[in-house]
Amino acid sequence: YNVYCYSMFICTCCMSDTKKTLINLGNQPYANKYPSSETKLNEPINNLSIEICTKCYTASTKNIASRKIMFEEYFYLSSINSELVKHFKNLAKIIPPTSKLLDIGSNDGIFLKPLQEKNVNALGIDPSENVGKIANENGLKTIIGFFDDKNTSEILNNYGKFDYIIASSIFTHVEKSDEFINNVFNLLNDNGTFILEIEYIKNILSNIEFERFYFDRPYYFSIKGVMNIFEKNKLFVNKIENISPHGGSLRFFISKEKFNLSQDLQYFLNEEDKFFKNFFKNDYQKIAQHEATRLKNFLIKLKEQGDKVIGFGCPARFSTITNFINIDKSLLPFVIDDSPIKQNKLSPGKHIPIVPREFLENYNPDVIIVFAYEYFNSIYSYTKKFKADHYKPIPLSQMNY
């Protein structure tokens, strides 16, 4: 059935009406909703078209789906990814022990745990009941709810303001960006720091990772876009770092005080302008379609040869890829995933069975398509014993340890 969606025609960051279609990915389900059986399917489906602002380079889904439906039950657990665990342990090192910190979109407490271990006064908030419950059961204090005006007011009344507020890989999920930023402003101490981590639209496009577009994330930000929308709300970007999660992300340090534009920050902006000046000369739809077709033809060839092929990792991008080019269990009989809340369910839309890694022990695959490719090292430490060929799906390329 069709999901409830509405369209935004004005860029949320710069208020420009210079949007154009970046790519149309066809009919797509919610990428983080996993049906439990083919006999009980009632999946939301809608057209997934991505638009991009030619002025500030912020991209967005043409149709914005209901956040409540999206996150009331969620199937993403951060802590099953060892690389992400390491990332947040390292981030915790820069937070002074006496600090007071709020983690927005804290998931299962992946960042709260190392903060708790160094005695930081940390609080999490997450809208997903099933995931937030896991954090609370592990003694990681988490408010279950959206970071909206109501909950922000209650946090301010009950906990006061914070030295640090962090939002890692969740700002792209937010429907009302201005409300979100205003709530950050109200909860941040005057000399406090807001740390924002986002998947970078420039990296998504340059790496041809169109599969990172899905309904969970209505927005995909540029540096210029982030600076525009935060300055509009009296918060200022003063520093940016490249970080590795999610195929290449950015970390912004944002405060109520505006400093002079640093050389490093100006360099980031110049490189972004240079990239998009060239990017808009190309047809991204054709580029993405070509890469997707290469993958499907490869799977068809493997099937014809009688090779045993499986997928490893069922993140949200698995759904985007398989639905865009109609890959079902006739080409991928199953996909391995380490998340216990995904196992023994079906992939969104194409209903490919999701199974634990132990399923491989008697299967001995010839080819493994690594959909969770940024975690290849930890995956390969297990799969190398099968002596199978490993491939990144998009752009199709063989992966070597």
Side-chain angles (χ1 to χ4, degrees):
Y1 62 94
N2 287 335
V3 299
Y4 166 73
C5 294
Y6 68 90
S7 298
M8 294 287 286
F9 299 103
I10 302 296
C11 176
T12 191
C13 289
C14 68
M15 307 309 292
S16 167
D17 61 356
T18 58
K19 283 186 178 182
K20 73 171 193 174
T21 299
L22 174 65
I23 186 172
N24 189 324
L25 291 161
N27 288 332
Q28 293 278 347
Y30 284 166
N32 269 307
K33 297 289 190 184
Y34 297 85
S36 56
S37 73
E38 292 194 63
T39 59
K40 297 180 181 179
L41 298 180
N42 192 21
E43 290 178 283
I45 301 287
N46 206 339
N47 178 262
L48 179 60
S49 184
I50 308 298
E51 298 178 324
I52 189 164
C53 173
T54 57
K55 185 176 179 181
C56 79
Y57 321 132
T58 301
S60 62
T61 58
K62 185 176 181 180
N63 299 309
I64 296 182
S66 165
R67 303 291 88 191
K68 184 179 185 302
I69 295 172
M70 187 73 67
F71 291 105
E72 61 187 356
E73 185 180 26
Y74 206 52
F75 289 88
Y76 177 73
L77 295 180
S78 301
S79 295
I80 66 162
N81 297 320
S82 59
E83 285 88 347
L84 273 184
V85 171
K86 183 178 179 181
H87 168 77
F88 283 107
K89 281 184 177 179
N90 288 332
L91 180 57
K93 292 176 183 177
I94 73 172
I95 308 298
T98 57
S99 300
K100 189 177 173 186
L101 180 144
L102 176 66
D103 183 6
I104 307 170
S106 50
N107 199 260
D108 59 1
I110 187 171
F111 188 43
L112 298 176
K113 185 178 180 183
L115 291 172
Q116 185 187 71
E117 290 169 355
K118 64 181 295 189
N119 296 316
V120 171
N121 183 6
L123 172 70
I125 180 168
D126 196 278
S128 303
E129 289 188 16
N130 59 322
V131 176
K133 182 181 177 184
I134 292 171
N136 281 318
E137 287 175 347
N138 289 325
L140 303 168
K141 193 168 187 178
T142 304
I143 296 169
I144 297 175
F146 285 96
F147 187 67
D148 54 19
D149 289 343
K150 177 180 177 293
N151 284 322
T152 300
S153 179
E154 290 183 5
I155 291 171
L156 187 60
N157 290 335
N158 295 328
Y159 300 95
K161 295 191 176 185
F162 295 83
D163 304 309
Y164 290 89
I165 299 176
I166 183 166
S168 180
S169 191
I170 62 99
F171 191 51
T172 57
H173 296 274
V174 173
E175 178 182 350
K176 299 176 181 177
S177 304
D178 289 303
E179 178 186 309
F180 179 96
I181 297 169
N182 184 60
N183 289 333
V184 168
F185 184 93
N186 291 335
L187 286 178
L188 189 66
N189 281 330
D190 287 345
N191 61 347
T193 300
F194 176 49
I195 300 174
L196 175 71
E197 295 184 343
I198 60 164
E199 295 81 357
Y200 186 23
I201 184 62
K202 175 175 173 285
N203 291 343
I204 291 173
L205 299 178
S206 62
N207 295 332
I208 320 177
E209 293 176 351
F210 65 85
E211 73 271 18
R212 293 187 182 273
F213 297 124
Y214 38 88
F215 282 118
D216 293 35
R217 299 173 173 175
Y219 297 108
Y220 305 83
F221 291 99
S222 65
I223 296 171
K224 187 179 288 189
V226 167
M227 293 180 72
N228 282 344
I229 196 168
F230 275 87
E231 287 193 18
K232 184 172 64 171
N233 290 280
K234 300 178 183 178
L235 287 169
F236 305 96
V237 175
N238 292 308
K239 183 181 176 183
I240 299 177
E241 295 176 348
N242 283 305
I243 55 175
S244 60
H246 309 291
S249 301
L250 294 177
R251 176 184 292 155
F252 295 79
F253 293 84
I254 299 170
S255 67
K256 294 182 178 180
E257 184 178 359
K258 185 176 183 179
F259 300 101
N260 292 330
L261 200 64
S262 68
Q263 286 186 338
D264 288 346
L265 193 48
Q266 188 61 61
Y267 174 79
F268 274 106
L269 287 168
N270 290 342
E271 289 298 299
E272 183 172 272
D273 280 331
K274 192 185 304 180
F275 170 79
F276 279 100
K277 183 178 179 181
N278 291 320
F279 175 81
F280 287 128
K281 297 175 184 177
N282 302 311
D283 186 335
Y284 193 68
Q285 180 82 39
K286 286 185 178 179
I287 294 169
Q289 188 67 59
H290 171 75
E291 293 299 339
T293 301
R294 283 184 63 219
L295 172 62
K296 185 165 186 180
N297 289 341
F298 179 64
L299 293 175
I300 291 170
K301 181 181 177 182
L302 292 174
K303 182 180 179 181
E304 290 172 347
Q305 292 174 175
D307 288 326
K308 294 164 74 176
V309 56
I310 60 102
F312 205 111
C314 192
R317 75 189 77 110
F318 183 88
S319 175
T320 302
I321 293 173
T322 53
N323 285 281
F324 181 47
I325 48 173
N326 192 26
I327 294 173
D328 57 20
K329 58 188 177 185
S330 69
L331 294 177
L332 273 178
F334 60 86
V335 57
I336 303 294
D337 199 276
D338 290 329
S339 174
I341 61 176
K342 293 181 186 178
Q343 291 165 0
N344 302 313
K345 290 185 169 60
L346 303 171
S347 73
K350 292 304 167 185
H351 310 146
I352 296 169
I354 305 169
V355 297
R357 61 172 60 188
E358 290 74 22
F359 196 84
L360 279 183
E361 293 300 329
N362 298 315
Y363 192 80
N364 292 318
D366 300 302
V367 175
I368 298 174
I369 310 296
V370 185
F371 288 89
Y373 46 80
E374 64 261 51
Y375 308 119
F376 175 68
N377 287 352
S378 59
I379 290 171
Y380 186 75
S381 66
Y382 169 71
T383 58
K384 62 184 178 182
K385 64 184 178 183
F386 301 109
K387 303 189 185 306
D389 292 329
H390 293 69
Y391 287 86
K392 178 183 177 182
I394 306 285
L396 183 65
S397 55
Q398 189 160 7
M399 304 185 78
N400 299 305
Y401 184 73

